[in-house]
Amino acid sequence: MDYKEYVNNILKNIPLGIAITGIDGYVKNANDQLLNMFGYKLAEVMGNPISNLFKYPDRVEKLLQKGRSIIEEEVYVKARTNKIRFNVSAYPIHGIDNEKVDIIYIFNEIKRERKLANKIIDNKAIYTFDKIISQDKSFNRLIYFAKEIADSKSTILITGESGTGKEVFAQSIHNYSNRRDKPFVAINSGAIPKSLIESELFGYEEGAFTGAKKEGRPGKFEIAHGGTIFLDEIGEMPYDMQTRLLRVIEEGVVSRIGGLEQKVVDVRIIAASNKDLKEEVEKGNFRKDLFYRLNVLPIRIPPLRRRKEDIPLLIDYFMERISNRLNKKKILISEEKLDKLMDYDWPGNVRELENFIELSINLGYIANGEEDEDGLQLKGLKEYKYENLMLDYMEKKHIIKVLKIFSCNITKSAEALGIGRNTLYRKMDKYGIDCSDFEQWSVMEQNK
Ligand SMILES: Nc1ncnc2c1ncn2[C@@H]1O[C@H](COP(=O)(O)OP(=O)(O)OP(=O)(O)O)[C@@H](O)[C@H]1O
Ligand SMILES: [Mg+2]
């Protein structure tokens, strides 16, 4: 192998997109990774200006001409794949005769930001009213009302179908209130086993029951002291727990299970339900007195189909946010498709619309809008979930297995899998497979 071949071989195998230009900015060489990242053939890149690949801020050009480097600059790219941004670093390098200067460009992917869904981290609310999107008059009156009552100590009951934004409202109210610097603590009665709700809410003292922690544990009410407690899916709360809750609201004190001490707690209660609680009262599933105690300040969020003019607004909003988060191109929607989307009923409301846009951005086109009995979005999602995701899952598992067998040797693993090294890198990237994780695993396994 001659020297040139040797260098090319190295370039080829570095898992970063690399292009080399002269000081004039014309591409002299590019590796396979770069071609994969941008979706071009070598011939399309060679001899052409590097500015064909990405938006080249003037600042970058000036710095490079002065012989300075650029490190990890985020740039918008002109790729054939659906990527929209990369990090680029550029280093001027001197040739052998020290006269001619080349520039080496290194592209790598921007690490995906982690999705902050409805997760409440460290008992903090993340949503604020400015992220609640609507141009509907009555909806905006609701936001106005919610702001007006943010500081009140009275209990709020938020009702609305699934995905209408009940939790978003609850968090926004807390963040708008004078309690914003205090905890926002959520408990979902529908998501935890009924037998645990009591200890979650009220905590327990040492030795209260078998399996109880030695030092006891505070309940959510204690933790929320000074702040807000969000009682999500309150309609799922067992009847006897409703009775205890009513007492806490009326007396403002809590006692831990197995404890004698009564603690005064200053907590603002926001409850939410997607059930019609009045109906639940009539059916005998929900205490009437508790219902009236909670329903002091009612907020009824209308379903999306009652405010159809919000649909295009929300589509734009999610398209922007999600494409940025996923680092993928936005999708254009034809008038015809938009009409269909506006006709659709959106039983899963804003959450369904949000998921639909995310699915479409991932697919690279608006998911199939043909209406059948499963509805618009379900058709797209079903195909995606049960076919693609299943296959992807199997593929990911298999790749990890093979990589482990060959101790992460890419050449050997790719060979065993019957695919090229670049394809393997691409797949590892797609599935977020990181060999350094295995090293830890194998150490852990050895230490077992
Ligand atoms: N008006 C809105 N503007 C922007 N995003 C919204 C709006 N309403 C809801 N969302 C989005 O929809 C998602 C679902 O909202 P949320 O979790 O508050 O629904 P929910 O009413 O609590 O539903 P469930 O009853 O299923 O728990 C949120 O993650 C948020 O991103
Ligand atoms: Mg919710």
Side-chain angles (χ1 to χ4, degrees):
M1 201 188 285
D2 70 12
Y3 185 69
K4 198 172 167 197
E5 221 178 302
Y6 172 71
V7 172
N8 274 339
N9 199 33
I10 291 176
L11 273 185
K12 214 179 151 110
N13 289 308
I14 296 177
L16 294 163
I18 297 176
I20 296 163
T21 72
I23 192 75
D24 57 4
Y26 282 80
V27 177
K28 289 177 168 179
N29 206 345
N31 72 351
D32 287 358
Q33 275 296 320
L34 181 121
L35 301 173
N36 284 334
M37 283 160 104
F38 283 82
Y40 293 127
K41 293 202 179 74
L42 186 62
E44 294 173 297
V45 177
M46 285 289 264
N48 286 311
I50 186 93
S51 56
N52 283 2
L53 293 183
F54 68 102
K55 266 198 208 144
Y56 204 107
D58 288 346
R59 194 165 46 84
V60 171
E61 189 159 8
K62 280 191 194 120
L63 282 171
L64 287 173
Q65 274 167 358
K66 280 193 218 150
R68 305 263 292 277
S69 305
I70 307 292
I71 291 160
E72 296 268 302
E73 184 94 18
E74 193 178 312
V75 291
Y76 280 86
V77 298
K78 302 169 191 169
R80 201 169 277 154
T81 59
N82 64 357
K83 292 278 153 37
I84 53 176
R85 286 170 301 158
F86 281 125
N87 273 327
V88 67
S89 301
Y91 309 91
I93 44 171
H94 291 273
I96 310 168
D97 50 11
N98 227 348
E99 256 174 44
K100 281 208 201 103
V101 174
D102 282 346
I103 297 170
I104 175 159
Y105 289 86
I106 299 176
F107 292 87
N108 59 1
E109 295 209 11
I110 290 166
K111 283 263 178 310
R112 260 179 175 234
E113 286 161 39
R114 261 205 295 143
K115 185 175 179 184
L116 275 181
N118 303 5
K119 285 267 166 345
I120 295 161
I121 299 156
D122 294 335
N123 296 324
K124 281 200 183 73
I126 52 169
Y127 279 100
T128 45
F129 282 117
D130 58 321
K131 290 193 198 95
I132 300 184
I133 309 297
S134 178
Q135 56 183 6
D136 181 77
K137 269 211 192 91
S138 61
F139 196 93
N140 278 295
R141 270 200 297 273
L142 205 58
I143 295 179
Y144 181 80
F145 173 70
K147 285 181 178 171
E148 289 280 288
I149 60 167
D151 281 345
S152 153
K153 178 85 197 292
S154 303
T155 307
I156 298 175
L157 179 62
I158 305 176
T159 47
E161 290 176 13
S162 180
T164 46
K166 295 185 293 295
E167 177 152 7
V168 171
F169 258 80
Q171 293 193 21
S172 302
I173 291 169
H174 172 81
N175 277 335
Y176 197 80
S177 76
N178 48 20
R179 294 169 178 261
R180 72 182 73 93
D181 296 325
K182 296 282 165 53
F184 176 89
V185 177
I187 176 165
N188 185 330
S189 302
I192 54 175
K194 301 262 176 281
S195 57
L196 292 183
I197 293 180
E198 185 176 15
S199 64
E200 281 290 312
L201 279 175
F202 306 111
Y204 51 81
E205 287 300 353
E206 173 183 347
F209 45 82
T210 40
K213 267 199 201 155
K214 187 117 191 301
E215 63 282 18
R217 221 183 72 171
K220 299 267 183 186
F221 270 101
E222 274 180 68
I223 297 170
H225 184 64
T228 306
I229 193 165
F230 177 49
L231 304 173
D232 203 1
E233 294 196 43
I234 186 96
E236 300 299 321
M237 188 170 276
Y239 207 86
D240 53 335
M241 228 19 65
Q242 295 174 23
T243 312
R244 273 203 76 174
L245 179 63
L246 186 65
R247 279 197 41 217
V248 174
I249 297 174
E250 286 177 340
E251 293 162 18
V253 291
V254 290
S255 51
R256 294 186 183 184
I257 302 173
L260 298 169
E261 193 194 346
Q262 301 234 313
K263 281 195 180 135
V264 177
V265 287
D266 165 28
V267 174
R268 208 277 169 90
I269 296 174
I270 304 181
S273 174
N274 52 23
K275 283 185 176 167
D276 183 345
L277 279 190
K278 225 168 177 181
E279 220 169 76
E280 294 301 303
V281 170
E282 275 152 31
K283 281 195 221 151
N285 295 333
F286 203 82
R287 287 188 66 122
K288 195 175 183 176
D289 42 9
L290 179 61
F291 171 71
Y292 286 111
R293 270 286 174 185
L294 293 173
N295 201 32
V296 182
L297 299 170
I299 292 183
R300 264 179 239 109
I301 308 183
L304 188 54
R305 64 182 169 280
R306 295 270 162 70
R307 43 187 172 103
K308 292 219 174 219
E309 69 276 31
D310 279 350
I311 293 172
L313 195 71
L314 285 163
I315 291 177
D316 278 351
Y317 172 74
F318 288 128
M319 198 65 95
E320 181 73 36
R321 268 189 39 171
I322 299 171
S323 77
N324 267 314
R325 172 164 56 79
L326 300 179
N327 191 21
K328 290 195 166 161
K329 283 181 186 164
K330 287 190 221 171
I331 290 155
L332 294 174
I333 301 177
S334 64
E335 288 279 322
E336 201 187 324
K337 275 265 157 68
L338 186 61
D339 283 347
K340 272 195 173 167
L341 297 179
M342 291 197 53
D343 276 348
Y344 181 59
D345 260 356
W346 300 104
N349 294 290
V350 184
R351 183 186 293 114
E352 183 181 2
L353 180 68
E354 186 177 1
N355 290 342
F356 177 78
I357 298 297
E358 178 161 350
L359 166 67
S360 300
I361 290 174
N362 274 308
L363 291 172
Y365 55 86
I366 287 293
N368 201 342
E370 270 171 52
E371 271 149 290
D372 56 18
E373 27 174 19
D374 287 331
L376 183 72
Q377 169 252 8
L378 281 182
K379 188 168 164 56
L381 265 190
K382 234 197 209 153
E383 283 167 5
Y384 187 59
K385 261 201 185 129
Y386 301 123
E387 290 169 31
N388 294 5
L389 288 189
M390 262 297 274
L391 264 182
D392 281 2
Y393 174 73
M394 304 287 288
E395 187 174 70
K396 177 177 175 180
K397 264 183 73 165
H398 188 62
I399 290 175
I400 290 177
K401 194 171 151 193
V402 172
L403 283 167
K404 278 187 179 170
I405 292 173
F406 293 100
S407 309
C408 263
N409 180 313
I410 301 295
T411 308
K412 284 185 189 159
S413 304
E415 207 175 331
L417 287 162
I419 55 177
R421 296 166 44 92
N422 282 324
T423 311
L424 178 55
Y425 275 124
R426 230 182 4 254
K427 288 188 187 290
M428 287 169 69
D429 192 40
K430 172 176 167 191
Y431 299 129
I433 302 173
D434 186 346
C435 275
S436 54
D437 292 344
F438 305 161
E439 281 154 23
Q440 279 173 2
W441 293 349
S442 59
V443 171
M444 269 156 47
E445 267 160 29
Q446 278 162 19
N447 289 345
K448 251 188 217 163

